[in-house]
Amino acid sequence: MTMQTKSIELPRLDARAVAVFEHALSQGSLKRRTPEAPEVPATLGLTPEEAEEACRTLLLLRLLRPAPGSPGELIPVSPDAAAAEAVGPLEAQVAQAAAHAHSVREDLRSLMPHYRAARRERDHRQGVDVLPDLAAASALLTEESARCREEVFSIQPGGGRAAHRLGDAIERDLAMLGRGVRMRTLYQHSARASLSTQGYVETLTEAGAEYRTAAELPDRAVVFDRSVAFLPRRTDGGPGEGAVLVRNPDVVAYLCRVFDQHWSGATPFRGGSGAAYKEVGPSLRRALVGLLAEGAKDEVIARRMGMSLRTCRRHIAELLEELGAESRFQGGALAERAGLTGEG
């Protein structure tokens, strides 16, 4: 049933209406030549049109009313009484609208069990739920994090994460840690150079989270309780702003194996500043040499290493200078001779 209520609009008091009301108070009443034309002294400095508008405002606000038996005379009314008469219906309308809004909200919420049941059934059949944009992905990520009871792990390739993204995540992550959830995250080595990421990791590590970094990582992934995973949407080379929620046990189990394999070979990272970046220097050099040996272009190397192109080129120049190489080809040969291309 649609609620239709006529809107109540009340004018606001202005200086002209206040001046006319004060005049009526001082005289005990206000004469009017016509229903719209009050008699006001010239000392108020109002034109006839302004006086009419002020009188109309006072009548609508119930601050003036016709004198009993004398419709050509207006008498001032107590502001408290005027407020009760003028504003009371508006307050009743607001209360009615609020009650209607509450009823509609409850009607909509009553459908949630049906929605959840249908979604569970669809997820069971398909094992995949496409989340079209960042807002939808973030909302469901928050919902799943609230349900998580045992473990969450994530793979976060690229450099340091944006400060506003970390600010949005810290409260949610601390809540999971507070429930005893084990939290592990893999970053790339390049994230160690980010001040915002250093501070975030240091704070969460103190609360019990674990972080490690590696030279290269696969695409982003977040897995809760080894039963539900979030992956970025990459159809047609998209930017991955949305997400794909995966519940298929085989797919989730595969992601868990991928994470465990990368975790075992990664370097612990506890955040904070200082020499943390130096700990992964040899690993960075090996990965860089390997990519140079493959003949990868600077843009590809930067993307795979999670660095800006400028930073990547700086690392390449430093490596070639360290090896005393005059070309990339010579650098690869010298690196192999120096044992920089191996896994050790």
Side-chain angles (χ1 to χ4, degrees):
M1 180 178 179
T2 302
M3 184 186 78
Q4 294 183 342
T5 304
K6 185 178 179 180
S7 177
I8 298 174
E9 295 186 5
L10 295 175
R12 298 295 301 273
L13 276 174
D14 58 20
R16 296 162 184 165
V18 172
V20 173
F21 182 66
E22 290 178 342
H23 173 70
L25 287 174
S26 67
Q27 300 299 314
S29 66
L30 183 67
K31 303 292 185 181
R32 54 181 177 176
R33 298 186 301 276
T34 70
E36 300 293 335
E39 295 180 358
V40 297
T43 55
L44 293 184
L46 302 179
T47 65
E49 292 77 13
E50 291 172 340
E52 288 179 15
E53 182 62 28
C55 184
R56 189 178 302 114
T57 295
L58 295 171
L59 286 167
L60 288 172
L61 292 175
R62 308 298 194 270
L63 287 167
L64 291 179
R65 67 175 55 180
S70 181
E73 185 178 7
L74 299 174
I75 58 175
V77 177
S78 161
D80 284 341
E85 184 177 353
V87 181
L90 181 60
E91 291 176 335
Q93 186 182 83
V94 171
Q96 184 181 5
H100 180 70
H102 178 75
S103 297
V104 171
R105 182 181 291 109
E106 291 304 311
D107 288 343
L108 295 175
R109 284 177 173 172
S110 70
L111 297 177
M112 281 305 297
H114 303 281
Y115 172 79
R116 290 194 180 103
R119 197 180 75 183
R120 283 195 298 269
E121 178 61 27
R122 185 179 71 245
D123 291 340
H124 180 72
R125 293 195 309 268
Q126 300 178 349
V128 172
D129 194 3
V130 177
L131 309 173
D133 52 40
L134 185 60
S138 179
L140 203 52
L141 190 69
T142 298
E143 183 178 324
E144 290 297 335
S145 67
R147 293 178 180 172
C148 184
R149 290 293 175 268
E150 295 181 5
E151 176 188 18
V152 58
F153 65 74
S154 60
I155 301 173
Q156 300 287 350
R161 298 173 66 189
H164 72 277
R165 292 283 177 85
L166 295 174
D168 294 340
I170 191 166
E171 184 175 347
R172 179 187 65 208
D173 293 346
L174 287 174
M176 284 193 288
L177 290 168
R179 296 196 303 270
V181 173
R182 184 187 185 191
M183 181 180 297
R184 293 184 292 166
T185 302
L186 275 170
Y187 287 125
Q188 284 189 265
H189 291 329
S190 53
R192 292 172 177 257
S194 165
L195 293 178
S196 59
T197 304
Q198 289 174 6
Y200 171 80
V201 168
E202 186 174 29
T203 298
L204 271 292
T205 297
E206 291 175 357
E210 301 171 71
Y211 295 88
R212 293 186 182 183
T213 63
E216 292 189 73
L217 289 174
D219 211 341
R220 292 199 313 269
V222 181
V223 179
F224 294 98
D225 288 335
R226 295 186 176 255
S227 61
V228 56
F230 287 80
L231 302 175
R233 292 184 66 194
R234 299 297 188 192
T235 305
D236 300 324
E241 287 299 321
V244 178
L245 187 150
V246 180
R247 299 181 189 275
N248 182 284
D250 292 320
V251 175
V252 175
Y254 171 78
L255 292 171
C256 292
R257 290 194 297 273
V258 169
F259 177 85
D260 290 337
Q261 181 178 3
H262 282 81
W263 180 262
S264 64
T267 306
F269 176 39
R270 298 185 60 84
S273 57
Y277 203 62
K278 296 181 180 179
E279 297 175 8
V280 295
S283 176
L284 270 174
R285 285 196 296 274
R286 285 195 300 271
L288 195 58
V289 167
L291 291 169
L292 287 173
E294 292 176 12
K297 295 182 178 180
D298 290 355
E299 292 79 0
V300 174
I301 296 174
R303 184 173 64 252
R304 288 178 59 175
M305 300 286 285
M307 300 175 179
S308 68
L309 183 58
R310 181 178 179 179
T311 301
C312 176
R313 285 172 173 165
R314 178 169 55 81
H315 278 293
I316 292 174
E318 290 173 353
L319 176 62
L320 295 178
E321 182 180 359
E322 178 184 335
L323 293 171
E326 297 181 358
S327 68
R328 295 189 179 198
F329 178 79
Q330 184 184 19
L334 292 173
E336 184 174 3
R337 191 178 307 163
L340 295 179
T341 59
E343 296 296 326

